[in-house]
Amino acid sequence: MNKKLFLLDAFALIYRAYFAFSNNHRVNSKGLNTSAILGFTNTLLDVLKKEKPTHIAVVFDTSAPTERHTSFAAYKAHREEMPEDLSKSIPYIIKLIEGFNIPVIAKDGFEADDVIGTLAKKAEQQGFVTYMMTPDKDYGQLVSENILMYKPARMGNGAEILGPAEICKRWDIQHVDQVIEILGLMGDSVDNIPGIPGVGEKTAIQLIKDFGTIDNLLVNTDKLKGKLKEKVELNKDLALLSKKLATIICDVPVDLEEDKLILTEPNREALKELFTELELRRLAQLILGEEITSDSTNTTSADTKNEGQVDLFGNAVVTQNVTTAELEEDAQTNYKTILDTTHSYTIIDTTEKYAELANQLQQQPSFCFDTETTSLDVKDAELVGMSFCFKEFEAYYIPIPANKEQAQQIVDFFKPAFSNENSIKVAQNIKYDLSVLRNYGVEIKGKIFDTMVAHFLIQPDMRHGMDVLAETYLNYSTVKIDTLIGKKGKDQLSMRSVPIKQIAEYAAEDADITFQLKNKFEPMLAQANITDLFEKIEIPLIPVLSAMEREGIKIDINALHEYSKELGIEIAKIDAEIQQLAGTSFNVSSPKQVGDILFEVLKIVEKPQKTKTGQYATSEDVLIKLVGKHAIVEKILDYRELQKLKNTYVDTLPELIHPNTGRIHTSFNQVVAVTGRLSSDNPNLQNIPIKTEKGREIRKTFIPRNSDYLLLSADYSQIELRIIAELSGDEGMIEAFNSGKDIHAATAAKVYNVPLEEVTSDMRRNAKMVNFGIIYGISAFGLSERLNIPRKEAASIIEQYFIKYPGVKEYMDTSIAVAREKGYVQTIMGRKRYLRDINSKNAVVRGFAERNAINAPIQGSAADMIKIAMINIHNEFIKNDFKSKMILQVHDELVFDVHKEELETIKPIIKEKMSAAIKMKIPIEVEIGVGENWLKAH
């Protein structure tokens, strides 16, 4: 047997997993951040499945000081404290590792890399091939033919396995021992290893190429010149100390207990208990493929083995027929299921039963409903069935035939119940259901309650799918859709192919569970004091969004095709120019090849930035800073912009035109952005470019429905700055807006202490960047980077800004203080943004939360404002029976398809409803434009 040992550097992998989710932390219903646990588990699973180690261990650092701390008191002294929510995760990660029956190894007085180095060297003597799993570059010094670095997959790149050849190439050295020499010279800011001040990686590599070792360098300093000679001679002791600190110790008193390292079956009960506590349901399903025994239900079933389906450890997974409504996941947790819950789900399939149920629904103060359809696209979806519930654990399912006439006759029985203004209609993601029912002439009237939207307001950082909500709030695991129709893909079945008895249990359960969730969430909304936000903004917005999605927007397909050809020609031309500037041919679409050309062939900068995977960084923000270093940089940026325009929009939009309507129908999302902003997808029209001339050309292709119409764009002017003025009450900012001054010029006049008429374009540009940057907590460093000015000048601009606008600074400080005290901030309308990390001892984590404390009330209030405007405009259009329609919302802009005869009538309506959406002291300006395409209107 080939012995294959994996040694995992625990904290390096845990930190990496935690920060991978920094923009979207996974938080469970108890408020525990499970990001690190989830990320570490995924990393572990990836290795177990792909690499199939025979032996494995996870190695931790301990809190005890090491010899390095004794030698150098400042060693790792600059490291930030571990984020509190990460610290809380560590005991769970250890339980997880133990649940996999993987040894946890640690040794007081030594770091994890010392323990891993020692074990790897011992394992090499015993015939192992050892993989040190870590992203830490220092491990390169340990590599040999049988000791390899294993850098886990990251950001779409696969895992890297580095042997001696790869390490030598990475550092441009002759043998791996020289990694220590380079680290000794250049130091390591992360571990606070000093190195020789002023010696970076490039210089260190060259010195080791010239002298082989630090010792040899230090006895040959006479061969150095200038400042470098002075630096080396003045810092000989630092160089030797740094080399010692960077050297991994390989004689730690730790034994290689081969038998204990053998990979074995996990402790399923321990993992089941852990995943249940942490609410990591999908991991439970993925990892624990245990056999499910058949149980009797009120529908017939037959056990079937899924041929070829195995769990993580190669055991065959046995699942029973979907009609039992059981999944692997249900057997792995302690949730209640349809199998062990007393319920009464009835199939309604005769005229008499339709009439009786419809009459019952008419009498109810509230009822829940759900639709089963043939498609997720509401324009194409046909009803397969409807389910209703008005009492917990009791529900009804009505099968709907494919024949449209028969289907309509059945639906008609229930129209009075849907249009009853005295009852509350409840659903999960009700926008979809009411859009489908509109296809059958059903209009839902009266109050509605959407459990998905309610939960978004209660816990915006969690997921909001019904399955997750049922498990979290009802301790109940629902029947999953893929057990009926299979996984997504070409082999997925239609809901029409599912036997009625099976679909009845599934669909009725959906209505029942949603009804139960409504009963849970209603008091929670009241307790959080967000019922008004729910009932007066989010819920009334749902039919507005549904109507906008149904309308869609027309695209000039011929214009897009022509623009695609034009872009293709221009891309080819720029590509040729880039090749000529490079002096060699390469793939401009390859970030790696671009990096090699810029920094190895052309050498446009001395110290190029690198990614965490070791490649040269060539992202847009990196290249923008390099414009002016070489003509090729701007050309590459132009090439990328045109490629993105062509591939993402110009060539894609025609494919999204619906064949029946001839328009594009985006889908608006209420429960994605935690700030409350709407997003859209299929397609994402929020990202249609506007800043560049080429990007703006795409808006030309968005046109009115016919020659009787024009497009109208209504855009809030500087709305976030006006909201800052409102929230801060700053007198200077309020005066500027009230007097109608150009706010950026007014700011420049104050910051630079010059009269308004003497403000230059550069002054205004700088002030504009500060005005908008303040919202996001911009620093002097960030401002200097964006404006390409010295950091001292940027710091002075910010300092003057706060002197002249003291109310803004006070607002920022107060927002942070309120967040620290309450754990959240809120918008003018009461939308809450919870900031769990606001009191973190880790400065990076805390800083992110502080910026959100400043920004969330501003962005969220702007989001609330445009939502209120949309509701009021929509209602006014209905009241007046206008032919004109509201069709798009993009950031702070609304777009309308306006009948020419109604244009002058609706302009003041739109302006008034947008301006008065939220009553403020600051005047709200709305800019309105009209044209035969979106660009001209905007």
Side-chain angles (χ1 to χ4, degrees):
M1 178 185 75
N2 293 324
K3 296 192 290 186
K4 188 176 185 180
L5 170 63
F6 264 76
L7 297 172
L8 278 61
D9 183 355
F11 279 116
L13 297 173
I14 290 168
Y15 265 95
R16 177 179 171 277
Y18 175 81
F19 285 106
F21 288 96
S22 59
N23 291 326
N24 185 24
H25 280 308
R26 304 300 175 86
V27 181
N28 67 15
S29 66
K30 303 179 187 74
L32 177 69
N33 184 346
T34 59
S35 304
I37 306 164
L38 177 63
F40 180 85
T41 308
N42 285 335
T43 300
L44 179 61
L45 293 183
D46 199 51
V47 164
L48 294 177
K49 289 201 293 188
K50 291 181 180 175
E51 302 300 334
K52 297 183 170 47
T54 60
H55 299 69
I56 189 168
V58 180
V59 184
F60 279 80
D61 295 308
T62 74
S63 57
T66 69
E67 185 183 334
R68 293 181 182 88
H69 294 91
T70 306
S71 302
F72 184 56
Y75 180 66
K76 293 192 177 182
H78 291 170
R79 282 203 173 179
E80 292 283 357
E81 286 202 46
M82 183 183 292
E84 287 80 355
D85 50 358
L86 176 55
S87 178
K88 290 174 185 175
S89 298
I90 301 304
Y92 291 109
I93 291 174
I94 291 172
K95 280 186 183 179
L96 173 93
I97 297 164
E98 291 171 343
F100 273 95
N101 284 324
I102 294 173
V104 172
I105 301 174
K107 189 73 177 175
D108 278 347
F110 297 93
E111 295 182 54
D113 50 3
D114 300 324
V115 175
I116 288 174
T118 301
L119 293 174
K121 295 295 183 185
K122 289 185 176 184
E124 186 173 35
Q125 299 300 315
Q126 296 185 29
F128 281 90
V129 175
T130 300
Y131 295 81
M132 304 174 295
M133 187 169 177
T134 180
D136 189 343
K137 64 182 183 299
D138 296 9
Y139 281 79
Q141 64 188 268
L142 298 172
V143 165
S144 69
E145 292 304 319
N146 293 308
I147 300 175
L148 308 169
M149 270 187 75
Y150 187 94
K151 295 179 75 172
R154 183 181 178 86
M155 299 175 73
N157 298 313
E160 284 185 88
I161 297 176
L162 308 176
E166 289 78 15
I167 295 297
C168 289
K169 182 181 178 184
R170 155 69 179 89
W171 293 101
D172 194 12
I173 52 181
Q174 297 299 311
H175 49 85
V176 296
D177 291 348
Q178 291 178 312
V179 170
I180 307 169
E181 313 292 338
I182 292 170
L183 293 174
L185 292 175
M186 64 183 272
D188 187 338
S189 59
V190 175
D191 289 341
N192 205 31
I193 297 174
I196 293 179
V199 172
E201 181 180 321
K202 187 176 179 182
T203 304
I205 289 172
Q206 189 58 52
L207 287 172
I208 297 306
K209 284 173 77 173
D210 293 342
F211 297 97
T213 66
I214 290 177
D215 289 337
N216 193 40
L217 166 66
L218 297 183
V219 297
N220 286 284
T221 56
D222 57 310
K223 296 176 182 172
L224 301 176
K225 294 179 182 178
K227 286 191 175 181
L228 180 59
K229 178 181 180 182
E230 185 181 336
K231 287 175 186 175
V232 173
E233 288 185 339
L234 284 174
N235 294 284
K236 287 183 178 182
D237 290 344
L238 269 186
L240 293 169
L241 171 64
S242 298
K243 177 180 175 180
K244 180 182 178 184
L245 295 173
T247 301
I248 293 175
I249 299 166
C250 292
D251 58 357
V252 175
V254 59
D255 294 327
L256 180 74
E257 299 179 274
E258 188 172 330
D259 291 346
K260 291 184 179 178
L261 301 180
I262 295 172
L263 180 64
T264 61
E265 287 282 323
N267 182 335
R268 296 174 186 277
E269 288 304 313
L271 289 178
K272 183 197 306 183
E273 184 179 332
L274 180 65
F275 289 145
T276 302
E277 179 183 354
L278 296 174
E279 300 171 10
L280 295 175
R281 305 166 187 87
R282 300 298 164 257
L283 281 181
Q285 183 177 353
L286 176 66
I287 293 169
L288 302 172
E290 43 187 68
E291 184 172 308
I292 299 172
T293 55
S294 182
D295 206 344
S296 59
T297 66
N298 54 357
T299 58
T300 59
S301 67
D303 288 355
T304 58
K305 180 176 285 191
N306 291 346
E307 292 299 330
Q309 185 176 343
V310 295
D311 69 12
L312 177 65
F313 295 90
N315 303 310
V317 176
V318 180
T319 60
Q320 65 185 65
N321 190 289
V322 66
T323 57
T324 65
E326 233 183 346
L327 282 178
E328 299 156 356
E329 186 170 351
D330 300 329
Q332 296 150 7
T333 60
N334 296 321
Y335 300 120
K336 294 174 288 184
T337 70
I338 201 169
L339 298 175
D340 54 24
T341 301
T342 303
H343 62 277
S344 173
Y345 296 160
T346 307
I347 295 172
I348 305 296
D349 56 2
T350 67
T351 302
E352 292 76 16
K353 290 178 182 177
Y354 301 148
E356 183 184 347
L357 177 58
N359 183 56
Q360 279 187 286
L361 292 172
Q362 282 276 68
Q363 314 307 314
Q364 303 306 317
S366 70
F367 65 84
C368 182
F369 73 99
D370 188 37
T371 61
E372 304 306 329
T373 63
T374 56
S375 171
L376 290 176
D377 186 335
V378 294
K379 294 171 295 300
D380 300 324
E382 296 178 7
L383 280 172
V384 174
M386 296 188 296
S387 53
F388 293 95
C389 173
F390 47 84
K391 185 179 179 183
E392 293 186 1
F393 307 109
E394 292 183 13
Y396 306 87
Y397 178 72
I398 302 102
I400 306 292
N403 181 283
K404 290 190 177 178
E405 188 177 332
Q406 293 174 351
Q408 189 64 59
Q409 289 172 357
I410 296 172
V411 173
D412 286 346
F413 275 95
F414 300 94
K415 277 186 177 180
F418 283 119
S419 62
N420 179 3
E421 297 204 14
N422 297 318
S423 65
I424 301 171
K425 300 14 170 237
V426 182
Q428 166 83 5
N429 188 17
I430 201 169
K431 175 159 68 77
Y432 175 82
D433 298 298
L434 65 83
S435 297
V436 169
L437 290 172
R438 279 288 299 272
N439 296 340
Y440 292 81
V442 175
E443 188 175 358
I444 295 178
K445 294 182 179 178
K447 287 187 176 181
I448 58 176
F449 190 105
D450 189 325
T451 49
M452 181 177 74
V453 173
H455 186 257
F456 172 69
L457 296 181
I458 293 164
Q459 280 277 19
D461 290 304
M462 275 184 66
R463 290 176 294 160
H464 314 291
M466 190 192 70
D467 295 341
V468 171
L469 299 182
E471 291 165 356
T472 304
Y473 294 96
L474 304 175
N475 194 38
Y476 186 96
S477 185
T478 56
V479 181
K480 306 303 184 292
I481 184 68
D482 56 13
T483 64
L484 276 74
I485 59 175
K487 302 283 185 186
K488 285 183 180 178
K490 60 183 177 61
D491 295 328
Q492 192 176 54
L493 303 174
S494 163
M495 287 295 274
R496 288 212 187 279
S497 64
V498 181
I500 286 176
K501 284 188 176 180
Q502 295 179 30
I503 200 173
E505 288 285 286
Y506 166 82
E509 181 191 62
D510 274 2
D512 177 18
I513 293 302
T514 302
F515 191 72
Q516 292 182 47
L517 288 170
K518 183 257 186 184
N519 293 338
K520 287 275 186 186
F521 293 159
E522 203 164 28
M524 292 172 75
L525 289 168
Q527 187 178 359
N529 200 26
I530 48 178
T531 301
D532 272 1
L533 179 67
F534 178 70
E535 293 183 348
K536 294 180 181 178
I537 298 181
E538 294 298 343
I539 287 298
L541 184 67
I542 292 171
V544 180
L545 298 179
S546 174
M548 291 168 67
E549 291 172 358
R550 180 175 288 272
E551 286 297 327
I553 186 166
K554 191 173 181 182
I555 297 286
D556 186 340
I557 192 167
N558 292 327
L560 277 174
H561 287 325
E562 286 303 311
Y563 194 34
S564 179
K565 290 176 189 174
E566 182 186 322
L567 287 175
I569 292 168
E570 193 157 355
I571 288 166
K573 179 187 169 194
I574 294 174
D575 192 318
E577 291 172 352
I578 290 170
Q579 309 294 339
Q580 188 174 3
L581 287 166
T584 183
S585 62
F586 71 103
N587 180 2
V588 187
S589 297
S590 165
K592 184 179 186 307
Q593 291 186 38
V594 167
D596 292 343
I597 291 293
L598 293 181
F599 307 120
E600 291 188 6
V601 176
L602 299 176
K603 300 184 188 298
I604 67 170
V605 291
E606 185 180 340
K607 293 182 179 179
Q609 190 177 331
K610 290 193 175 183
T611 67
K612 291 184 178 178
T613 60
Q615 285 188 16
Y616 292 114
T618 61
S619 60
E620 183 181 355
D621 58 328
V622 171
L623 294 188
I624 285 172
K625 295 173 190 172
L626 300 176
V627 170
K629 300 286 185 184
H630 194 289
I632 197 172
V633 178
E634 196 161 357
K635 292 290 181 184
I636 291 169
L637 285 168
D638 290 343
Y639 176 91
R640 286 183 178 177
E641 181 201 351
L642 298 187
Q643 278 280 36
K644 182 178 180 181
L645 289 177
K646 188 173 188 299
N647 296 339
T648 307
Y649 303 108
V650 180
D651 291 345
T652 304
L653 286 173
E655 297 171 6
L656 298 173
I657 295 173
H658 196 275
N660 295 336
T661 67
R663 299 178 205 161
I664 281 179
H665 300 264
T666 190
S667 178
F668 293 101
N669 306 312
Q670 279 176 278
V671 299
V672 173
V674 291
T675 58
R677 288 276 194 188
L678 290 172
S679 64
S680 70
D681 54 32
N682 296 320
N684 178 2
L685 298 181
Q686 305 281 346
N687 285 344
I688 296 289
I690 190 63
K691 291 183 179 178
T692 65
E693 184 182 343
K694 294 292 183 184
R696 287 192 289 272
E697 287 294 307
I698 294 174
R699 295 196 175 205
K700 272 188 184 178
T701 65
F702 287 74
I703 57 176
R705 64 190 63 202
N706 60 45
S707 59
D708 293 331
Y709 285 74
L710 290 168
L711 289 189
L712 182 150
S713 166
D715 200 354
Y716 280 118
S717 172
Q718 300 169 335
I719 191 61
E720 291 186 341
L721 292 180
R722 293 172 192 273
I723 290 171
I724 288 179
E726 179 75 17
L727 292 174
S728 68
D730 184 272
E731 292 179 5
M733 196 170 269
I734 290 171
E735 189 276 328
F737 280 122
N738 282 338
S739 62
K741 292 176 185 173
D742 174 342
I743 186 64
H744 303 311
T747 298
K750 285 181 178 292
V751 168
Y752 289 101
N753 200 26
V754 298
L756 191 64
E757 58 273 14
E758 292 182 19
V759 170
T760 66
S761 59
D762 279 347
M763 288 177 180
R764 185 185 183 279
R765 178 177 69 96
N766 293 355
K768 181 178 180 179
M769 183 62 73
V770 179
N771 271 332
F772 287 117
I774 288 297
I775 301 168
Y776 299 96
I778 197 167
S779 64
F781 173 77
L783 186 62
S784 69
E785 289 277 296
R786 292 191 197 181
L787 294 176
N788 197 22
I789 60 176
R791 198 178 303 180
K792 189 175 280 188
E793 182 183 344
S796 175
I797 291 172
I798 292 174
E799 182 183 356
Q800 285 301 310
Y801 183 95
F802 286 137
I803 290 171
K804 298 299 167 64
Y805 291 132
V808 175
K809 183 69 168 73
E810 186 179 346
Y811 159 75
M812 295 167 69
D813 294 342
T814 301
S815 291
I816 292 169
V818 167
R820 284 183 181 147
E821 180 189 346
K822 296 183 176 180
Y824 64 84
V825 289
Q826 59 186 23
T827 67
I828 296 169
M829 303 306 295
R831 182 184 303 277
K832 293 181 179 177
R833 177 74 193 275
Y834 295 94
L835 301 166
R836 300 166 27 264
D837 299 321
I838 194 68
N839 293 308
S840 174
K841 292 177 182 175
N842 182 286
V844 175
V845 174
R846 185 178 65 252
F848 186 74
E850 288 173 350
R851 288 190 291 277
N852 278 332
I854 297 165
N855 177 248
I858 300 164
Q859 273 207 45
S861 293
D864 293 340
M865 182 178 286
I866 201 164
K867 286 177 176 179
I868 294 168
M870 291 166 72
I871 294 162
N872 293 339
I873 292 168
H874 176 79
N875 292 340
E876 193 71 17
F877 276 29
I878 289 174
K879 187 173 84 174
N880 288 281
D881 196 25
F882 287 140
K883 296 174 185 174
S884 304
K885 304 293 179 186
M886 182 163 54
I887 53 174
L888 282 183
Q889 184 273 338
V890 178
H891 304 302
D892 300 319
E893 177 185 8
L894 297 176
V895 181
F896 300 81
D897 214 350
V898 180
H899 196 276
K900 290 177 180 177
E901 294 176 358
E902 298 172 347
L903 179 60
E904 296 310 317
T905 304
I906 71 165
K907 264 188 185 178
I909 292 173
I910 292 168
K911 194 156 196 165
E912 190 272 328
K913 296 300 181 189
M914 290 180 73
S915 300
I918 295 178
K919 191 173 182 180
M920 294 191 351
K921 299 187 291 290
I922 306 298
I924 302 301
E925 286 192 9
V926 178
E927 296 172 348
I928 291 181
V930 180
E932 62 266 24
N933 61 57
W934 188 8
L935 181 61
K936 285 197 173 179
H938 186 82

